[in-house]
Amino acid sequence: MDFLSIIQVLDSTVRLATPLLLACLAGLFSERAGIFDIGLEGKMLAAAFFSAAIAAMTGSVWLGLLAGIAASLVLSGIHGLASITFRGNQLISGVAINFLAAGLTVLIAQDWFSQGGRTPSLTDSGRFNPIELPFAEALSGVPYLGPLYSELISGHSILVYVAFAMVPLTWWLLYRTRFGLRLRAVGENPAAVDTAGVSVIGLRFAAVAICGVLCGIAGAYLATGLQAGFVKDMTAGRGFIALAALIFAKWRPWYALSACLLFGFLQAIALRYQNIDLGAFTVPVQFMDALPYILTVVILAGFVGKAIPPRAGGEPYVKER
């Protein structure tokens, strides 16, 4: 594999890791506040559909992004209402959101566009176009450094840069602000936070809302950045992979970045190298396609017991009277 091929694989890694990273950070905010959310998949799917649908109808990708975030926030509100206000089972609520999004997106898409549950292909202003960073073209001829900057760092849509910028922002917000301290405390000992006069309900709803916004951006990127429209079940388990990456990262932002890049790298390898010849035998394309999901199962089996979640995670808070 030459240097240019390596750059191309890494470029695909960055693109494929972006929705995983956004969803992983979304789950991090929610679970740090004590709200387990396996409905990331459903929120991303709803956001992908509505962002593509509105972008196709209006011709504006920014309106599509807002629609995707709004759809994700609605599902986040339902999850918050069920698990925080009514103290329902958080896992069941998340599963319900996944089923709801999977069914409604196809139903509405067929009703609106009559294209078999998909949206029309997006073009021009209906998609997020690549951004060329300063001096990318001028440096492209420089050995090694040029392709690294012009091909790998430059040439991504704005949502890719937003996703990677969210990692240090999330770290700063969680570990260097009063809001982050309270959010983490709510996930560990909500009674102590309540005793200090801080609203546990308010903080948990804030975390669920942040989760909704990030899932909305992730879904919008899938439909308007990575691809050019919505198709049935286009998230393809990315929400569950993001949850596995979150467990692998032990609920820490920088570790989450590494985990999502690992999953993105495996997906990039699977897409680029369909059959790998190892001499004695050839690795079939089906195994390469399944590799990210196999790793998900391995991580869940091997790290669930070792990665300790927030102590109050999954438990509704009942205020003592």
Side-chain angles (χ1 to χ4, degrees):
M1 185 185 298
D2 58 9
F3 181 72
L4 186 57
S5 296
I6 294 174
I7 293 295
Q8 291 172 346
V9 170
L10 293 178
D11 179 70
S12 297
T13 298
V14 169
R15 298 176 192 272
L16 293 169
T18 295
L20 296 177
L21 180 58
L22 287 166
C24 188
L25 293 177
L28 189 150
F29 274 103
S30 181
E31 296 194 8
R32 276 290 190 175
I35 304 298
F36 288 161
D37 191 354
I38 63 172
L40 301 178
E41 179 88 359
K43 294 174 188 175
M44 290 173 64
L45 192 62
F49 166 69
F50 281 100
S51 62
I54 298 302
M57 290 190 294
T58 64
S60 172
V61 69
W62 293 104
L63 289 177
L65 175 62
L66 291 177
I69 293 174
S72 180
L73 279 173
V74 169
L75 293 181
S76 287
I78 294 173
H79 182 57
L81 195 66
S83 59
I84 301 173
T85 304
F86 296 111
R87 302 168 190 161
N89 188 291
Q90 297 173 9
L91 299 181
I92 293 176
S93 175
V95 170
I97 286 174
N98 288 335
F99 282 121
L100 183 67
L104 280 181
T105 50
V106 176
L107 184 66
I108 299 174
Q110 178 63 21
D111 182 63
W112 285 3
F113 304 106
S114 300
Q115 294 187 11
R118 64 175 63 211
T119 62
S121 296
L122 302 176
T123 57
D124 301 329
S125 60
R127 293 193 65 198
F128 282 105
N129 296 312
I131 298 174
E132 185 174 312
L133 298 180
F135 310 112
E137 186 175 353
L139 292 173
S140 60
V142 178
Y144 296 107
L145 179 62
L148 192 66
Y149 180 71
S150 61
E151 298 290 336
L152 180 58
I153 300 176
S154 178
H156 298 287
S157 68
I158 188 171
L159 296 186
V160 175
Y161 300 110
V162 167
F164 281 83
M166 280 301 302
V167 177
L169 180 60
T170 298
W171 174 85
W172 175 80
L173 195 62
L174 286 177
Y175 295 101
R176 290 295 184 270
T177 66
R178 181 179 297 178
F179 172 77
L181 175 63
R182 291 174 173 175
L183 190 74
R184 288 183 288 122
V186 163
E188 296 292 339
N189 193 343
V193 176
D194 194 19
T195 303
V198 179
S199 173
V200 173
I201 304 300
L203 280 171
R204 286 188 165 180
F205 266 110
V208 168
I210 294 173
C211 175
V213 171
L214 292 176
C215 281
I217 298 174
Y221 172 74
L222 278 176
T224 61
L226 191 62
Q227 299 185 33
F230 173 84
V231 295
K232 179 184 178 182
D233 296 331
M234 70 180 304
T235 47
R238 286 181 172 88
F240 301 109
I241 293 177
L243 284 175
L246 183 59
I247 295 171
F248 188 40
K250 298 181 179 179
W251 294 270
R252 297 180 181 179
W254 290 107
Y255 291 176
L257 173 61
S258 302
C260 291
L261 286 174
L262 172 61
F263 280 107
F265 177 72
L266 291 175
Q267 289 181 333
I269 290 293
L271 288 174
R272 185 170 180 84
Y273 300 101
Q274 296 292 307
N275 293 286
I276 298 180
D277 188 3
L278 298 179
F281 64 94
T282 300
V283 179
V285 60
Q286 291 83 1
F287 177 80
M288 296 304 299
D289 289 336
L291 193 57
Y293 305 97
I294 294 173
L295 183 62
T296 301
V297 175
V298 170
I299 286 177
L300 289 176
F303 286 86
V304 165
K306 298 177 182 178
I308 301 174
R311 284 183 296 178
E315 299 177 2
Y317 176 65
V318 181
K319 187 173 182 176
E320 296 182 2
R321 298 186 182 275

